[in-house]
């Protein structure tokens, strides 16, 4: 290499030259490097001319016509290897080929950010260059199966910005597509393409019709821009002068007259629509936008190499005053209605031709947002479930605000945010509000901000006020998912009751909570069709945590489900401010992200539908932490439902409880005979606020119970001790609830003896509760046998009985039908022999 000693090289450039020297030495003559000079066109760059031997490269008919030795120039940046070199040819023989920019520059990398490795240096760069020549000779610069690189247009930062939001038209086989793009003018420098009008279609005749066709608001600034889509790919790079561009278009039958005529037609239509009272362009004060200044050009240049038809690639040509002048001339043509392209006057042609001969092309920056050519960055993530959905977020605070933001960014079609609180200074430490928002309603501020994320696809609505009151005005069935981020027991109870009493199944409901120091979070999921809502699922979570023998969830109990209410509450402001939790914006955002992602994973997996589940996440702690690892899922199947007809309460029988009842009934049928009744104790709770009776567990009959074919009497042995043990084990969540017994082969309805027992409500407890659940499992022979054999549900009777008579010390003697004589009875427990016939006193007939 020559001349390098006279240059002032950076350390990186010297490294590049040293590496290149070693590459040349090792090439055995197939590569040479000469003429190391300073670049005249790019400040600080060093140019190195190299020659590459290409004589032995395999060639095809479609490949580049390479010479036996190809000479190229490398441009090495000052900050090499932290910036990639570039390469250009000394000729234009490759112009028009894929991955050749502006006739000379070879495009070796689709993305230097991901493909350029500084550690590889010139070794990796030269290897990439050799691969390029090899692919070029084989005609595989666009290899089959790889995405095509669209044409390049050298953008002008002063020409403006265009965002393409609507799928582009496609040229007809017999000719180009001609028409107009509907543009929403966002600001002085940016417009969005929101629709298309073919030249042969009827165009909106007023500004209101144009806004309606573009699905824009009544105050949106909207206009049309001429658009042409060619039938074939024109070039890999767009020319820099208007004349070169028009000449290129002429090869696809888009003549100068056609292009000028279309521009004039669109400009004239804009003048008519935007200024129906006449030309107001010279007035200083006007609210309507100026005439269009863009020409959109589309070519079939996008797609996968070798894979079917190509999609339209769009660029936008900025036409400062040209379109307006053409529109004025076109409006003078002597015919009514929209001018026809063939009738364009000579004056227009003369003006346009002179303009084209002296006008450079100014290409706008174009950002793609149309679905046909863009892939959402979250398309393969759980967040993709939210796209196009209707979402309700309850609470706009530390959890609700980031959750709503995630939904909006995921492309939810409609988002409603409900909260009654205002922004105050203290929340700025971790909630996404600003000092300027203080005193304003959170829901309104949040909705306004989220509406600016994607106003074309997501509409965000604020619901200000008490949630339990405002929900009554919403049709909740129109939502796909409800996020309860309030951490409010009253809201949870209200949702549970409203969900239970609704005759139509609710959408998915996710209840999110954060612990007292923002180190743990839980998300309770009640899927569509699940028997329980958020309050129900959280109760199950608490039961599972308390009864886990491995103590995996002891930290969860302390944070969310303590046996005794916490006495140390964090109250950030003086007075009656709500108690909250300590935690930073980082803590809250991290927990919210994990909880939302977990819930969306469950919703996207059909195997998890119609179930209840809780996700437990824990923030990472220090290296020496001994806290349990997270995340962790707990899941439950649906309960068996019964209804207390007297109160209307739901009776939710957990699968484990019903399985225990069935197991006892099956054992009794084997040991005592198929018609002997059996029964036992129920554990659970009654929630009057939600109208739900939870049946968590069921036991078999105590040893001193009395079991016959006509009567079951619950014994007392061991019951109190068992109930006390279960109260302690469950953190007093599950306690004595009532009693169950069976009616084999008969209706699940209380007998006269059962009804008499309900009024006195004699129970095997010292405190003799005022009310208890009476549950009867029965059914005719086919139903009963099927339940015992396959587990299909039996007929069930449920009643929350209230004692109306004074409590008795001992159970009253059962009154049996007069037709029965002495009855064989069985004790409870696990005995396998009856205790003989017992003569029961007969009740006198009335």
């Amino acid at each position: 290499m020559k001349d390098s000693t006279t240059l002032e090289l950076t350390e990186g450039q010297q490294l590049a030259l040293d590496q290149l020297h070693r590459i040349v030495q090792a090439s055995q003559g197939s590569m040479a490097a000469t003429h190391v000079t300073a670049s005249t066109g790019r400040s600080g760059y060093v140019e190195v001319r190299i020659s590459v031997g290409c004589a032995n490269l395999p060639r095809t008919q479609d490949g580049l016509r390479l010479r036996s030795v190809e000479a190229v120039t490398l441009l090495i940046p000052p900050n090499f290897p932290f910036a990639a070199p570039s390469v250009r040819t000394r000729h234009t023989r490759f112009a028009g080929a894929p991955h050749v920019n502006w006739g000379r520059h070879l495009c070796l990398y689709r993305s230097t950010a991901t493909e350029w490795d500084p550690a590889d240096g010139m070794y990796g760069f030269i290897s990439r260059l050799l691969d390029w020549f090899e692919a070029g000779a084989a005609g595989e610069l666009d290899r089959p199966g790889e995405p095509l690189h669209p044409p390049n247009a050298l953008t002008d930062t002063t020409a403006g910005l265009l965002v393409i939001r609507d799928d582009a038209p496609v040229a007809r086989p017999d000719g180009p597509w001609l028409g107009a793009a509907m543009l929403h003018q966002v600001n002085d420098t940016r417009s969005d393409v929101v629709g298309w009008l073919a030249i042969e279609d009827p165009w909106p005749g007023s500004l209101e019709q144009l806004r309606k066709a573009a699905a824009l608001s009544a105050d949106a600034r909207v206009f049309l821009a001429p658009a042409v889509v060619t039938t074939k790919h024109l070039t890999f790079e767009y020319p820099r002068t208007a004349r070169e561009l028009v000449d290129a278009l002429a090869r696809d039958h888009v003549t100068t007259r056609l292009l000028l005529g279309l521009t004039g037609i669109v400009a004239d239509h804009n003048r008519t629509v935007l200024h129906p009272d006449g030309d107001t362009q010279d007035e200083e004060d006007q609210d309507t936008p100026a005439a269009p200044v863009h020409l959109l050009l589309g070519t079939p240049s996008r797609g996968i190499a070798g894979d079917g038809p190509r999609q339209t690639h769009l660029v936008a040509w900025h036409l400062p005053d040209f379109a307006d002048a053409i529109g004025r001339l076109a409006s003078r043509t002597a015919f009514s209605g929209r001018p026809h392209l063939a009738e364009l006057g000579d004056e227009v042609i003369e003006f346009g031709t002179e303009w084209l001969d002296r006008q450079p092309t100014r290409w706008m920056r174009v950002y793609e947002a149309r679905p046909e050519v863009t892939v959402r960055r979250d398309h393969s993530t759980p967040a993709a479930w939210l796209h196009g959905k209707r979402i309700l977020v309850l609470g706009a605070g530390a959890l609700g605000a980031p959750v709503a933001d995630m939904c909006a960014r995921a492309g939810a079609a409609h988002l409603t945010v409900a909260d009654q609180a205002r922004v105050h200074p203290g929340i700025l430490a971790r909630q996404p509000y600003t000092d300027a928002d203080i005193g304003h309603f959170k829901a309104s501020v949040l909705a306004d901000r989220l509406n600016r994320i994607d106003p074309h696809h997501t509409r965000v609505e604020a619901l200000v006020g008490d949630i339990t009151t405002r929900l009554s005005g919403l049709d909740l069935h129109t939502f796909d998912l409800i996020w309860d981020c309030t951490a409010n027991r009253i809201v949870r109870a209200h949702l549970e009751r409203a969900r239970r009493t609704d005759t139509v199944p609710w959408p998915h409901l996710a209840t999110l909570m954060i612990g007292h120091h923002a180190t743990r979070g839980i998300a309770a999921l009640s899927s569509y069709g699940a028997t329980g809502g958020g309050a129900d699922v959280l109760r199950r979570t608490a039961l599972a945590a308390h009864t886990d023998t491995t103590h995996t969830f002891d930290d969860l109990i302390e944070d969310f489900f303590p046996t005794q209410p916490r006495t140390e509450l964090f109250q950030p402001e003086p007075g009656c401010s709500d108690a909250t939790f300590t935690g930073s914006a980082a803590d809250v955002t991290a927990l919210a992200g994990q909880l939302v992602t977990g819930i969306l994973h469950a919703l996207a997996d059909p195997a998890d539908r119609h179930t209840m589940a809780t996700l437990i996440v824990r923030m990472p702690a220090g290296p020496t932490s001994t806290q349990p690892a997270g995340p962790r899922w707990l899941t439950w199947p649906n309960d068996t439902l019964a209804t207390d007809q007297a109160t209307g309460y739901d009776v939710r029988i957990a699968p484990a409880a019903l399985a225990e009842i069935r197991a006892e009934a099956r054992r009794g049928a084997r040991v005592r005979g198929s018609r002997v009744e059996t029964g036992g104790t129920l554990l659970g709770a009654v929630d009057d606020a939600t109208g739900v009776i939870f049946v968590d567990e069921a036991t078999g009959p105590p040893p001193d119970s009395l079991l016959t074919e006509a009567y079951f009497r619950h014994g007392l042995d061991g019951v109190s001790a068992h109930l006390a043990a279960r109260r302690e084990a469950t953190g007093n969540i599950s306690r004595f609830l009532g009693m169950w017994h069976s009616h084999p082969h008969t209706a699940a309805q209380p007998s006269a003896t059962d009804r008499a027992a309900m009024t006195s409500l004699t129970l095997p407890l010292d405190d003799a509760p005022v009310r208890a659940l009476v549950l009867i499992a029965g059914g005719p022979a086919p139903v009963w046998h099927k339940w015992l054999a396959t587990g299909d549900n039996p007929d069930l009777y449920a009643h929350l009985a209230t004692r109306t008579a004074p409590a008795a010390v001992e159970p009253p003697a059962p009154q049996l039908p007069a037709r029965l004589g002495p009855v064989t009875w069985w004790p409870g427990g696990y005995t396998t022999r009856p205790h003989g016939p017992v003569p029961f006193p007969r009740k006198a007939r009335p």
Side-chain angles (χ1 to χ4, degrees):
M1 292 185 289
K2 302 177 181 179
D3 303 331
S4 62
T5 57
T6 63
L7 297 177
E8 293 185 7
L9 302 176
T10 66
E11 181 181 354
Q13 288 170 332
Q14 186 62 57
L15 172 65
L17 294 180
D18 292 343
Q19 292 177 342
L20 188 58
H21 178 69
R22 288 192 286 270
I23 292 171
V24 170
Q25 285 185 320
S27 68
Q28 298 180 348
S30 64
M31 180 179 294
T34 60
H35 300 94
V36 181
T37 61
S39 173
T40 57
R42 306 182 74 176
S43 176
Y45 278 67
V46 169
E47 294 185 1
V48 182
R49 296 181 186 178
I50 68 170
S51 58
V52 180
C54 300
N56 297 324
L57 294 179
R59 306 184 183 216
T60 65
Q61 183 177 357
D62 296 330
L64 297 178
R65 295 296 178 259
L66 300 178
R67 293 175 177 174
S68 58
V69 176
E70 285 289 347
V72 296
T73 299
L74 308 184
L75 289 88
I76 303 173
N79 55 341
F80 178 91
F82 304 108
S86 57
V87 59
R88 70 186 180 198
T89 64
R90 301 176 63 188
H91 55 77
T92 58
R93 286 184 289 109
F94 300 157
H99 307 283
V100 179
N101 296 334
W102 303 290
R104 296 179 184 272
H105 288 265
L106 308 186
C107 183
L108 304 188
Y109 299 94
R110 294 181 184 271
S111 170
T112 55
T114 57
E115 297 179 59
W116 167 254
D117 187 351
D120 291 342
M122 292 302 296
Y123 303 105
F125 183 79
I126 295 299
S127 176
R128 194 84 173 204
L129 176 62
L130 297 177
D131 289 343
W132 193 95
F133 278 124
E134 183 177 352
E140 295 182 349
L141 287 173
D142 280 329
R143 289 185 173 88
E146 292 186 354
L148 297 171
H149 195 294
N152 288 300
L154 190 61
T155 58
D156 185 339
T157 57
T158 65
L161 167 65
L162 200 67
V163 179
I164 315 294
R165 296 192 174 276
D166 198 58
D167 287 346
V170 178
R172 300 184 300 269
D174 58 342
W177 183 93
L178 302 174
M182 292 186 285
L183 268 61
H184 173 209
Q185 188 172 357
V186 178
N187 53 44
D188 291 340
T189 60
R190 171 189 155 191
S191 296
D192 291 4
V193 177
V194 293
W196 305 88
L197 298 170
I199 190 70
E200 63 271 14
D201 294 338
W203 289 6
S206 67
L207 185 58
E208 291 72 20
Q209 292 176 2
L210 186 57
R211 286 168 174 158
K212 183 177 180 180
L216 296 173
S217 62
D219 60 346
R221 305 179 69 184
V222 59
F223 59 91
L224 302 180
V228 176
V229 179
T230 64
T231 60
K232 57 186 178 182
H233 178 77
L234 297 181
T235 177
F236 193 69
E237 57 186 6
Y238 287 110
R240 301 187 183 187
T241 68
R243 172 52 59 192
E244 290 176 329
L245 175 62
V246 171
D247 291 344
L249 290 172
R251 294 195 293 270
D252 196 37
H253 308 292
V254 182
T255 65
T256 301
R257 177 179 291 271
L258 195 68
L259 189 64
L260 295 176
L262 178 64
T263 304
I265 289 172
V266 174
D268 181 62
H269 190 82
N270 274 338
R271 183 179 301 279
T272 302
V273 169
L274 302 179
H275 309 288
D277 298 330
D279 188 3
T280 60
Q281 293 297 311
D282 297 329
E283 297 180 8
E284 294 182 2
D285 230 356
Q286 55 179 324
D287 296 328
T288 52
V293 293
H294 317 311
L295 171 67
L296 272 68
L297 172 62
T299 57
S301 306
R302 284 186 177 270
I304 303 299
D307 185 18
R310 297 185 177 184
Q311 294 171 308
T312 301
H313 172 69
L314 290 167
V315 292
W317 184 10
H318 184 62
L319 309 174
D321 302 317
F322 173 64
D324 182 60
I326 287 290
R328 290 171 184 269
L329 292 172
S331 65
R332 300 175 191 169
T333 54
F335 49 83
S336 60
R338 190 171 2 146
H340 296 285
L341 298 178
E343 298 173 341
L344 197 66
D346 292 337
E347 185 180 6
V348 175
I349 294 296
E350 182 180 356
F351 169 82
T353 302
E354 291 179 357
W355 184 88
L356 291 173
D357 286 336
R358 54 184 170 81
Q359 181 68 21
T361 51
R362 295 179 60 199
W363 298 107
M364 304 174 67
R365 284 181 298 154
V366 174
Y367 288 151
E368 290 285 10
R370 50 185 164 128
E372 64 179 346
V373 297
T374 58
V375 179
R376 288 185 60 93
R377 285 167 169 79
D378 61 357
H379 79 284
S380 60
T381 70
W385 185 92
L386 292 166
H387 192 267
K389 299 292 198 303
R390 289 178 55 87
I391 309 296
L392 172 61
V393 179
L394 305 180
L399 270 177
V403 168
D405 186 274
M406 295 172 199
C407 293
R409 295 186 186 280
H414 186 278
L415 186 62
T416 299
V417 182
D419 200 303
Q420 65 176 344
R422 297 177 184 266
V423 177
H424 55 82
I427 69 170
L428 302 184
R430 65 180 179 221
Q431 296 185 26
Y433 300 101
T434 66
D435 182 81
D437 301 326
I438 292 174
H440 297 279
F441 287 108
K442 289 183 182 181
S444 299
V445 173
L446 184 62
D448 182 63
R449 178 168 63 82
L450 298 184
N451 268 318
R452 295 195 293 270
I453 293 176
D454 190 356
H456 292 278
H457 294 99
T458 300
R459 177 173 174 265
V460 186
E461 178 184 3
L463 196 66
V464 177
D466 179 68
I467 291 176
T468 59
T469 303
R470 297 305 304 274
L471 285 182
S472 60
L474 293 177
D475 184 1
L476 298 178
H477 309 106
T478 64
F479 293 98
D480 298 289
L481 172 62
I482 301 173
W483 296 100
D484 177 12
C485 303
T486 62
N488 188 308
R489 290 179 179 269
I490 297 173
V491 173
R492 289 202 297 272
H494 175 83
L495 293 174
E496 192 74 39
R497 186 179 187 89
R499 186 179 184 278
R500 178 186 68 81
T501 57
D502 204 333
T503 57
V504 180
W506 268 31
H508 306 298
L509 171 63
T511 305
L512 274 56
M513 296 173 61
I514 283 181
H516 291 279
H517 299 290
T519 56
R520 303 170 192 88
I522 57 176
L525 174 62
S526 173
S527 299
Y528 176 87
T531 53
D536 186 329
V537 179
L538 286 175
R539 182 180 180 277
R540 296 169 190 273
T541 307
L543 269 175
H546 278 283
T547 56
D548 180 68
T549 57
T550 65
H551 301 285
T552 302
F553 306 111
D554 285 358
D555 60 330
L556 202 71
I557 295 172
E558 175 63 23
D559 230 355
F560 298 101
F561 313 114
T563 304
Q564 297 296 327
R566 294 176 66 95
T567 56
E568 296 180 2
L569 300 179
F570 173 60
Q571 220 161 2
E573 284 90 21
C576 297
S577 63
D578 291 336
T580 180
F581 62 91
T582 57
S584 67
D587 298 328
V588 172
T589 304
L591 285 171
Q594 293 181 78
L595 295 173
V596 168
T597 299
I599 290 295
L600 296 178
H601 262 299
L603 293 178
D605 185 357
D608 288 329
R609 297 291 175 85
H610 307 295
T611 61
M612 296 165 283
T614 291
L615 171 64
I616 303 162
V617 297
R618 298 177 172 95
M619 290 289 287
T624 59
S625 173
T626 58
Q627 78 169 18
R632 175 76 179 270
W633 279 100
L634 301 173
T635 60
W636 301 270
N638 277 340
D639 290 337
T640 298
L641 296 182
T643 302
D644 180 358
Q645 298 298 331
T647 62
Y649 284 12
D650 267 5
V651 180
R652 300 177 184 173
I653 308 171
L658 191 61
E660 180 61 34
I661 293 173
R662 176 171 174 261
E664 169 58 27
R666 284 165 57 87
R667 191 181 74 85
R670 292 194 307 271
V671 175
R672 309 180 193 108
S674 61
R675 294 186 176 274
V676 176
E677 295 185 10
T678 186
T681 307
L682 299 174
L683 290 86
V686 179
D687 187 337
D688 291 305
T690 62
V692 178
I693 302 172
F694 300 99
V695 181
D696 303 322
E697 301 178 32
T699 70
D704 60 336
S705 299
L706 184 68
L707 289 69
T708 74
E709 291 186 5
Y711 176 77
F712 168 76
R713 187 177 72 184
H714 199 295
L716 301 175
D717 286 356
V719 172
S720 294
H722 176 73
L723 294 177
R726 295 310 297 160
R727 281 198 302 271
E728 181 178 358
T730 63
N732 204 34
I733 296 172
S734 191
R735 47 199 178 271
F736 177 81
L737 178 63
M739 294 177 290
W740 70 273
H741 68 277
S742 63
H743 281 184
H745 303 276
T746 57
Q749 292 294 326
S751 64
T753 304
D754 295 331
R755 295 186 185 279
M758 290 180 194
T759 60
S760 59
L761 203 62
T762 302
L763 303 169
L765 287 176
D766 296 336
D767 53 3
V770 174
R771 60 182 187 171
L773 178 67
V774 175
L775 182 66
I776 301 174
V783 172
W784 186 258
H785 283 302
K786 190 173 184 180
W787 176 51
L788 296 184
T790 66
D792 286 7
N793 288 339
D795 292 343
L796 295 169
Y797 168 87
H799 175 57
L800 187 61
T802 302
R803 184 175 64 236
T804 58
V809 177
E810 292 291 340
Q815 301 296 320
L816 300 178
R819 61 181 178 80
L820 294 178
V823 176
T824 300
W825 68 276
W826 295 74
Y830 290 93
T831 184
T832 57
R833 294 182 178 277
H835 283 202
V838 176
F840 285 97
R842 298 179 180 179
K843 183 179 179 181
R845 295 186 180 182

